[in-house]
Amino acid sequence: MVQSADYIPKSEADIIKKSKAQSTREGTTTLRHEKRFKNALTENASRPWGVPFHRTCQPCSVAAAPPRLSTGLGSMAPIGVQLQIDDHHVVIDNGILQITLSNPEGIVTGVRYNSLDNVLEVLDNENQRGYWDVVWSALDGSGKTGIFEVIRATSFKVIVESEELVEVSFSRPWDPSLKGKFVPLNIDKRFILLRGCSGFYTYAIYEHLGSQDSQAFSLGETRVFVGAHYAGDDLIPKFGQGEPWKKVFGPVFIYLNTVAGEEDPLTLWDDAKRQMMVEVSSWPYSFPSSEDFPKSNQRGNVYGKLLVHDRFVHDHDMPTNGAYVGLATPGEAGSWQRECKDYQFWTETCENGDFSIKNIRTGTYNLYAWVPGFLGDYRNEVAITITPGCNINVGTLIYEPPRNGPTLWEIGIPDRSAAEFYVPDPNPQYVNKLFLDQPKNKFRQYGLWEKYGELYPQEDLVFTVGESDYSKDWFYAQVPRKKEDKSYEGTTWQIKFKLENIQRSATYILRIALAGASLAELQVRANDRNKPRPLFTTGLIGRDNAIPRHGIHGLYWLYSIDVLGSLLLEGDNTFYLTQTRSQSPFQAIMYDYIRLEGPNPKALV
């Protein structure tokens, strides 16, 4: 499945393949069922932990190619697209595949491809095969929460019918009489089939009317695009009564391909990845008919250069190769991370720091960035207004990351991930063989959090600066320890380090960046583990589900903690990091990076 970045899901371009090799059947689960089919998802690009981007720096960009050229491996010659309508079904056929949708509900009941009459699970009820759905909660005090709803349309309409393409609409309006029964959105589901294309497109337009009759609610999930499973409540969009909002989700592309005989099935995967690049290079598609999905000439572009200035690393400004630069709703530095209602557009910088963000919807944005290897978030104070056809040069932007003094010691890499830390081997009972012998994906195993208690059954982790190795001696997540009675207890990690020539009247800075947190609280103490009042506490933070869902990062948190020189000792020192919450095994934090900075030399002068 390939998705347009216009809808802002967890990834910009995903692709699902359907394969057929003699008696072996593998294929898409986008259309609901996993009994017969194996999901094969390729992610072309993702936003910095959640935002889609296009890497558009020349010469890296992919030459545009029309998606209609795809016919899948072994597909027959293209013919004109045909549309058939009866009282209960709508059938669209291009000679390669045939899609059957219920009329007027707009449920995908059948996908015929090659010799398979239906790649969907025919034992399922027709209404449970391929559908758009939502999980929503009322915010009006009615107590209606976590309502799962399959979007069943009430009206069918032909939008475009030609031999080149067919686009159809299945819509369902909302009015106050439906309050509490259906999600308070007008929803228009669209399906498109092109001539010669071994797949079909679908997108939807969601609208919350700006009327006081429009119920307040939260959108906990709309499959693929919005979901709380990974980042939790922070990324659930919430709408007040009468708050106007409209958003296009998609188009997504459901691609089918096949091999015959003894041909290597991995050929399907390679073909699917090639098709993904065709789809990405063709974005934004020119063929969707809705005026809510603007064409390329109705969008704008922004380009410029991003450099970093950190005088404790280098005297001169440094280029940012691989930094993430994006446009999102105006807000504070880093606010893009939790903004989940509107559109965002992201890219990566090239080796010299140049960036180009193309095909941006009209509107007003702030420019945001973050740079792997450096702490913090960049935000350009000047709002950017995108108009149709504009090409805005923002010039050279300088990011000055948080810094007070020279680095005395550091643990980890500031990249918003805990991947560089120690990830244990999985329990053989739970091992997922798919990720064996893949060091970069070692964390994608069930039950790794339980390994902490096995490694540290009595005493907690102790890290000695200058002796310990964070890739071996720093556990990837600070989780509660499981006790013999099956309950859990909080844990206290120690960082031991030596200091000389302490400036007792000066201020040192301890910077702690977290790669994720789940209903956790981190307390920091200096040289006195039992001091009643900690030097610093985060308070209760985070609703990430990254650890139980085999992730290595969630949302990013950055704390800068003043440490008076009078709290430090000549020679041996210890920071105590206590994660106090322990009602469940998943109340935990993942560290990104920790750094102790010396006093600011200018302040000392």
Side-chain angles (χ1 to χ4, degrees):
M1 176 180 60
V2 174
Q3 305 167 348
S4 157
D6 235 21
Y7 58 77
I8 308 311
K10 294 294 185 293
S11 65
E12 168 200 26
D14 297 321
I15 193 162
I16 287 181
K17 66 176 181 178
K18 165 71 181 75
S19 69
K20 173 178 174 286
Q22 295 218 338
S23 61
T24 301
R25 294 179 178 177
E26 296 179 352
T28 172
T29 58
T30 302
L31 300 178
R32 170 68 175 89
H33 223 280
E34 299 184 42
K35 289 181 180 177
R36 294 169 58 194
F37 307 113
K38 177 182 177 183
N39 189 353
L41 213 64
T42 295
E43 187 173 279
N44 172 61
S46 62
R47 78 175 180 177
W49 315 138
V51 178
F53 65 82
H54 290 280
R55 181 160 189 162
T56 51
C57 303
Q58 297 295 335
C60 309
S61 59
V62 179
R68 60 176 296 174
L69 294 180
S70 167
T71 57
L73 299 176
S75 299
M76 64 186 78
I79 64 173
V81 186
Q82 300 176 357
L83 174 65
Q84 300 177 22
I85 304 169
D86 63 30
D87 291 341
H88 301 291
H89 293 93
V90 174
V91 180
I92 315 174
D93 194 329
N94 68 357
I96 298 171
L97 61 86
Q98 181 187 89
I99 313 161
T100 302
L101 304 110
S102 61
N103 185 6
E105 296 84 3
I107 306 295
V108 181
T109 64
V111 177
R112 190 179 73 189
Y113 178 67
N114 281 355
S115 60
L116 289 176
D117 290 335
N118 197 346
V119 303
L120 304 183
E121 179 55 82
V122 295
L123 298 179
D124 276 348
N125 184 286
E126 281 197 349
N127 289 330
Q128 296 180 333
R129 295 183 186 173
Y131 53 77
W132 286 77
D133 63 31
V134 295
V135 176
W136 64 282
S137 299
L139 299 179
D140 57 4
S142 64
K144 293 183 176 295
T145 61
I147 304 167
F148 173 77
E149 179 185 338
V150 174
I151 305 303
R152 293 182 172 86
T154 57
S155 178
F156 164 71
K157 182 179 180 180
V158 178
I159 304 298
V160 176
E161 181 181 4
S162 72
E163 289 193 347
E164 296 305 311
L165 72 91
V166 166
E167 179 173 348
V168 293
S169 163
F170 299 87
S171 60
R172 191 205 67 191
W174 187 89
D175 63 61
S177 69
L178 302 175
K179 184 177 180 179
K181 300 176 183 177
F182 299 105
V183 62
L185 292 170
N186 290 344
I187 296 179
D188 183 359
K189 303 182 295 183
R190 302 289 184 96
F191 295 87
I192 301 173
L193 184 61
L194 306 180
R195 180 202 285 262
C197 190
S198 184
F200 65 95
Y201 300 84
T202 182
Y203 66 104
I205 305 145
Y206 288 14
E207 182 177 18
H208 190 243
L209 297 176
S211 164
Q212 287 304 304
D213 292 331
S214 294
Q215 183 181 12
F217 81 107
S218 64
L219 185 61
E221 181 178 317
T222 186
R223 205 171 295 257
V224 175
F225 307 102
V226 175
H229 292 303
Y230 194 81
D233 187 69
D234 283 328
L235 288 184
I236 292 179
K238 302 171 181 66
F239 305 92
Q241 183 176 347
E243 179 182 348
W245 174 78
K246 181 187 282 190
K247 193 169 188 179
V248 176
F249 291 100
V252 300
F253 181 49
I254 293 86
Y255 179 58
L256 297 93
N257 60 3
T258 186
V259 293
E262 300 300 322
E263 191 172 354
D264 185 355
L266 290 178
T267 304
L268 294 163
W269 183 241
D270 294 335
D271 172 64
K273 290 191 289 185
R274 284 191 295 269
Q275 184 61 31
M276 177 190 68
M277 298 309 299
V278 171
E279 301 297 325
V280 170
S281 65
S282 301
W283 183 87
Y285 298 128
S286 60
F287 49 82
S289 297
S290 173
E291 62 182 13
D292 294 309
F293 185 79
K295 305 294 189 290
S296 181
N297 61 3
Q298 298 172 309
R299 300 169 181 250
N301 308 296
V302 169
Y303 62 97
K305 181 189 291 285
L306 178 66
L307 305 178
V308 170
H309 180 75
D310 185 336
R311 65 190 181 93
F312 291 98
V313 175
H314 200 286
D315 291 337
H316 303 291
D317 297 337
M318 296 169 283
T320 58
N321 182 22
Y324 297 91
V325 182
L327 297 184
T329 299
E332 301 301 320
S335 62
W336 60 267
Q337 187 178 213
R338 290 171 173 80
E339 201 294 305
C340 52
K341 289 183 180 179
D342 298 317
Y343 300 97
Q344 300 190 19
F345 301 86
W346 288 80
T347 191
E348 286 185 86
T349 58
C350 290
E351 291 182 0
N352 62 355
D354 285 344
F355 65 87
S356 175
I357 308 174
K358 299 181 179 180
N359 294 306
I360 308 160
R361 281 176 168 263
T362 58
T364 300
Y365 302 86
N366 273 145
L367 186 146
Y368 302 91
W370 71 271
V371 185
F374 295 89
L375 289 170
D377 279 278
Y378 172 82
R379 168 186 169 270
N380 190 283
E381 295 182 356
V382 179
I384 296 175
T385 299
I386 300 298
T387 57
C390 71
N391 286 284
I392 298 174
N393 183 358
V394 297
T396 299
L397 309 176
I398 307 296
Y399 173 48
E400 296 187 17
R403 172 71 79 168
N404 187 66
T407 299
L408 300 182
W409 52 258
E410 60 187 354
I411 300 172
I413 302 169
D415 60 358
R416 307 194 177 205
S417 165
E420 69 269 29
F421 299 125
Y422 176 70
V423 178
D425 292 329
N427 186 323
Q429 288 183 294
Y430 307 133
V431 67
N432 184 337
K433 295 182 180 180
L434 181 65
F435 297 112
L436 292 179
D437 301 321
Q438 292 189 32
K440 291 184 178 180
N441 289 309
K442 190 176 180 181
F443 60 88
R444 298 185 183 275
Q445 299 284 353
Y446 178 82
L448 297 180
W449 53 88
E450 298 286 5
K451 289 285 187 173
Y452 180 81
E454 297 177 17
L455 291 169
Y456 303 95
Q458 301 296 329
E459 302 296 328
D460 284 317
L461 181 152
V462 177
F463 186 94
T464 302
V465 174
E467 298 179 10
S468 301
D469 180 346
Y470 63 72
S471 68
K472 299 176 182 178
D473 303 317
W474 190 274
F475 200 74
Y476 81 103
Q478 187 170 359
V479 297
R481 180 190 293 102
K482 190 175 184 179
K483 299 191 294 184
E484 291 183 1
D485 63 2
K486 307 299 183 184
S487 65
Y488 293 88
E489 61 182 0
T491 54
T492 298
W493 292 8
Q494 299 179 43
I495 302 175
K496 294 183 175 295
F497 59 98
K498 294 181 181 295
L499 287 180
E500 298 178 354
N501 302 318
I502 295 172
Q503 306 292 324
R504 295 200 171 276
S505 62
T507 298
Y508 294 71
I509 302 293
L510 178 65
R511 303 203 191 266
I512 299 180
L514 302 181
S518 178
L519 295 173
E521 179 181 4
L522 175 63
Q523 296 181 355
V524 179
R525 291 174 172 83
N527 289 321
D528 186 350
R529 178 174 186 163
N530 299 315
K531 191 170 186 178
R533 185 174 180 178
L535 173 65
F536 169 82
T537 178
T538 62
L540 184 65
I541 58 169
R543 290 182 176 271
D544 290 350
N545 296 314
I547 293 173
R549 292 188 177 274
H550 317 164
I552 203 63
H553 69 81
L555 296 179
Y556 179 72
W557 307 76
L558 176 60
Y559 299 98
S560 297
I561 305 164
D562 290 349
V563 182
L564 298 179
S566 58
L567 295 176
L568 299 173
L569 306 173
E570 289 286 340
D572 295 335
N573 290 264
T574 304
F575 282 132
Y576 297 94
L577 309 181
T578 302
Q579 198 297 104
T580 65
R581 309 290 175 137
S582 59
Q583 285 75 37
S584 88
F586 304 125
Q587 290 185 273
I589 57 177
M590 290 189 289
Y591 293 93
D592 168 37
Y593 175 75
I594 303 175
R595 180 173 74 208
L596 180 62
E597 297 174 10
N600 189 324
K602 292 184 178 179
L604 294 177
V605 173

